[in-house]
Amino acid sequence: TQQVAVKRPQLHFTAKKNWINDPNGLFFDGEQYHLYFQHNPHGVGHGFMSWGHAVSTDLVNWEELPIAILHGDMADIFSGSIVVDHENTSGFGDGTVAPVVAIYTAAAKDETNQSQAIAYSLDGGITFTKYEQNPVLDRGSKDFRDPKVIRYESEQGSFWVMVAVEAIDRRVMIYRSENLKDWTELSSFGPQAAVAGIWECPDLFQLPVAGTDQLKWVLIVSLNPGGVAGGSGTQYFIGEFNGTTFTPDETQETWDSFGYESLKQGDWLDWGRDFYAGVSFHGLPLDEQTLIAWMSNWDYARDLPHDGWRGSMSAARRLDLVKDSNGKFDIRQRILGLPKADVASSKANAGENRIELGSPALVELTFATSPIEPAVLSLFRADDTLISELTVESELIQHRREAGKVDHELYASNQRMPLPVGSDELDVKVLVDHGSIEILAAGGRRSLTDQLTGEAALAYATLRVATGANASFKVQELFDNALES
Ligand code: FRU
């Protein structure tokens, strides 16, 4: 693909140059959020995978730092996680600071083996030393990857728990360690629910149930292809983890099928095309659990137009759980770090309402009752090119328009998302930035994330509704607060 002028997003992390994919090693050190990411230091394609690094205090403005963990001659550094080893269980500490320990997949370049390796940092996550006795966990597998390590705390004591995938088997492997070096297999989960693609990038964490003091365990599983919107997607399971085994509240059949119609009964963290490999931060309290995903899709990630840099992260999402009227849990997402500004709110008129806005911007639609006839929000560039069209009815449909700049048959598509039934008021929050749209509906219980090509600088929107009385909209222009343009 050729190089074209791509406008950088303002509220989303992009690397200064070259390729990025999954977020890795997310952690909060008490002052700063650390985002590591799959990065090719040498080009705009996937290769020479290393961990890039950026830090932020607000999850919006990111400062990119030097590469944290560089690929080797024989192996790439694939996805993984970071923990701060406060009790120095690993022995990597020098008695003054808690070691920051990265657990990643060493992926043999000749594709004969993937095993888990560790590296430690004594300067707060800036530079890492690879452990001399790597790998620490080798199953002799070619597709064993993406270790996410958490601290499991119980009355019987605390220990490290790792979830990682046997990708081809559609299994999440669960391991335990006292010191991050020696790992014992506890159990495995899967295959279950969507299995048409391989499983990648698992995460296991607790979430509070809003309005109660209940906590539930959540297992996140990315899969590719076989996602609900096509290609890469992310499903989740809610249940219990007892320190050994994850047991979902509902055991599900496996779905070998592709596509929205067969997969819409499932639990999807996002219903769009571009929300993959999402993982949560280590080091945040349970009521501040936060997740970032890679805002792309393996269907076309390698073919998107680029401007010397390629790929971006989603906005950071704060997560909790809510119970619906049938007693089923939904993950609820809230976008974090948006600048606060006064917003004007107006009632919509029947027919067409014109809304002036630029990007980035946040548009909030509120319907007193779910619209019976479709409400349509259309986003335009200054030259009147239609970029995206959003239809809200019993389900929400995001039509990705103006896909001509992306020379890929899989790029132009419509994404659909069922809305929760039986809810009276319906709110739809739409965050647009250069190159993306993130839609959170029904109080954040439904999420749909799509790239809109990097050219898509927005100028205005129209909202068409059948009856005005039912609908209102708010617009918040978000500051152009990029560190560099
Ligand atoms: C997910 C993934 C991971 C792997 C990494 C390699 O997007 O395929 O399974 O560790 O990307 O870059």
Side-chain angles (χ1 to χ4, degrees):
T1 36
Q2 88 223 74
Q3 186 156 349
V4 297
V6 179
K7 232 169 152 21
R8 270 189 199 267
Q10 307 295 294
L11 301 171
H12 295 84
F13 175 75
T14 53
K16 289 200 182 90
K17 53 180 191 165
N18 294 327
W19 166 275
I20 70 170
N21 58 292
D22 314 354
N24 295 150
L26 303 178
F27 83 101
F28 181 61
D29 68 12
E31 281 168 21
Q32 286 188 314
Y33 296 91
H34 293 255
L35 161 68
Y36 302 80
F37 48 91
Q38 285 289 281
H39 191 35
N40 178 354
H42 310 301
V44 290
H46 185 263
F48 303 102
M49 297 320 293
S50 303
W51 280 24
H53 185 199
V55 290
S56 172
T57 54
D58 59 8
L59 294 163
V60 171
N61 293 292
W62 293 95
E63 181 193 353
E64 191 175 340
L65 300 176
I67 297 221
I69 309 180
L70 190 65
H71 67 89
D73 294 337
M74 306 296 285
D76 280 344
I77 311 294
F78 272 16
S79 287
S81 52
I82 277 184
V83 293
V84 183
D85 184 12
H86 291 288
E87 292 158 40
N88 196 22
T89 62
S90 61
F92 289 137
D94 59 4
T96 63
V97 292
V100 172
V101 182
I103 306 94
Y104 58 88
T105 299
K109 284 192 199 280
D110 63 5
E111 296 184 5
T112 52
N113 179 269
Q114 293 183 346
S115 53
Q116 313 325 318
I118 57 179
Y120 61 95
S121 169
L122 299 179
D123 59 7
I126 307 295
T127 58
F128 284 83
T129 305
K130 289 176 186 157
Y131 178 48
E132 316 77 60
Q133 290 172 49
N134 277 335
V136 292
L137 179 53
D138 184 357
R139 294 167 50 85
S141 167
K142 292 196 297 196
D143 286 282
F144 176 43
R145 61 177 177 271
D146 306 339
K148 178 74 164 81
V149 173
I150 59 168
R151 188 80 181 149
Y152 180 77
E153 276 153 21
S154 74
E155 276 152 27
Q156 291 78 48
S158 305
F159 49 92
W160 302 108
V161 167
M162 176 200 293
V163 286
V165 286
E166 276 292 354
I168 309 288
D169 299 347
R170 282 78 165 159
R171 277 203 299 161
V172 175
M173 308 303 304
I174 307 183
Y175 282 81
R176 167 185 175 144
S177 176
E178 312 306 318
N179 58 9
L180 296 167
K181 295 170 176 165
D182 304 299
W183 292 92
T184 313
E185 187 175 327
L186 294 176
S187 63
S188 72
F189 173 81
Q192 211 174 112
V195 296
I198 57 167
W199 282 18
E200 298 187 316
C201 297
D203 197 357
L204 178 67
F205 50 82
Q206 280 180 297
L207 284 183
V209 181
T212 73
D213 49 19
Q214 196 188 358
L215 293 168
K216 294 290 291 179
W217 284 89
V218 180
L219 179 67
I220 305 256
V221 178
S222 284
L223 83 158
N224 177 63
V228 68
S232 314
T234 310
Q235 59 182 335
Y236 66 84
F237 302 90
I238 303 215
E240 294 304 327
F241 177 64
N242 62 7
T244 306
T245 311
F246 174 80
T247 311
D249 287 351
E250 281 168 58
T251 303
Q252 298 175 52
E253 311 260 294
T254 52
W255 293 314
D256 234 330
S257 45
F258 291 94
Y260 179 81
E261 283 309 332
S262 61
L263 294 173
K264 67 181 173 192
Q265 304 308 326
D267 290 320
W268 298 94
L269 191 57
D270 194 274
W271 297 79
R273 288 285 270 156
D274 298 297
F275 196 83
Y276 194 60
V279 281
S280 65
F281 279 83
H282 165 81
L284 289 174
L286 289 177
D287 58 356
E288 291 180 24
Q289 296 277 37
T290 302
L291 174 139
I292 293 178
W294 174 44
M295 205 154 44
S296 198
N297 192 312
W298 283 114
D299 269 359
Y300 44 70
R302 298 174 180 88
D303 305 320
L304 293 182
H306 69 87
D307 196 359
W309 58 275
R310 187 187 261 153
S312 67
M313 296 298 169
S314 74
R317 315 285 183 89
R318 168 90 26 103
L319 308 179
D320 68 2
L321 292 173
V322 280
K323 224 179 204 176
D324 70 14
S325 46
N326 303 321
K328 194 176 166 312
F329 291 105
D330 274 334
I331 291 188
R332 191 165 64 166
Q333 306 187 36
R334 187 157 63 84
I335 291 180
L336 289 178
L338 299 183
K340 307 264 179 311
D342 286 344
V343 285
S345 175
S346 34
K347 281 237 156 292
N349 296 314
E352 187 168 294
N353 301 262
R354 187 178 161 110
I355 307 173
E356 298 302 328
L357 46 89
S359 62
L362 181 67
V363 183
E364 284 186 52
L365 310 178
T366 310
F367 302 96
T369 56
S370 287
I372 310 293
E373 292 177 55
V376 182
L377 180 75
S378 307
L379 306 177
F380 295 92
R381 284 208 304 239
D383 64 2
D384 300 327
T385 313
L386 179 60
I387 300 170
S388 150
E389 199 167 57
L390 202 75
T391 308
V392 186
E393 219 178 342
S394 57
E395 62 178 9
L396 187 150
I397 307 178
Q398 158 26 47
H399 305 254
R400 182 149 65 179
R401 307 290 193 200
E402 180 29 26
K405 287 287 185 297
V406 177
D407 182 19
H408 202 291
E409 54 178 6
L410 295 173
Y411 186 81
S413 51
N414 300 335
Q415 281 61 254
R416 296 162 70 178
M417 165 164 86
L419 294 168
V421 281
S423 55
D424 290 340
E425 202 189 82
L426 174 69
D427 69 298
V428 179
K429 290 194 174 66
V430 181
L431 176 66
V432 276
D433 196 355
H434 306 316
S436 70
I437 182 166
E438 286 165 285
I439 303 160
L440 293 186
R445 288 156 62 190
R446 296 288 184 277
S447 164
L448 194 162
T449 303
D450 270 355
Q451 292 188 68
L452 291 178
T453 83
E455 319 259 309
L458 192 66
Y460 68 95
T462 60
L463 173 66
R464 269 179 287 135
V465 292
T467 40
N470 188 28
S472 62
F473 58 88
K474 280 201 257 191
V475 181
Q476 188 172 345
E477 287 250 4
L478 302 167
F479 312 125
D480 188 323
N481 55 356
L483 295 174
E484 46 156 7
S485 52

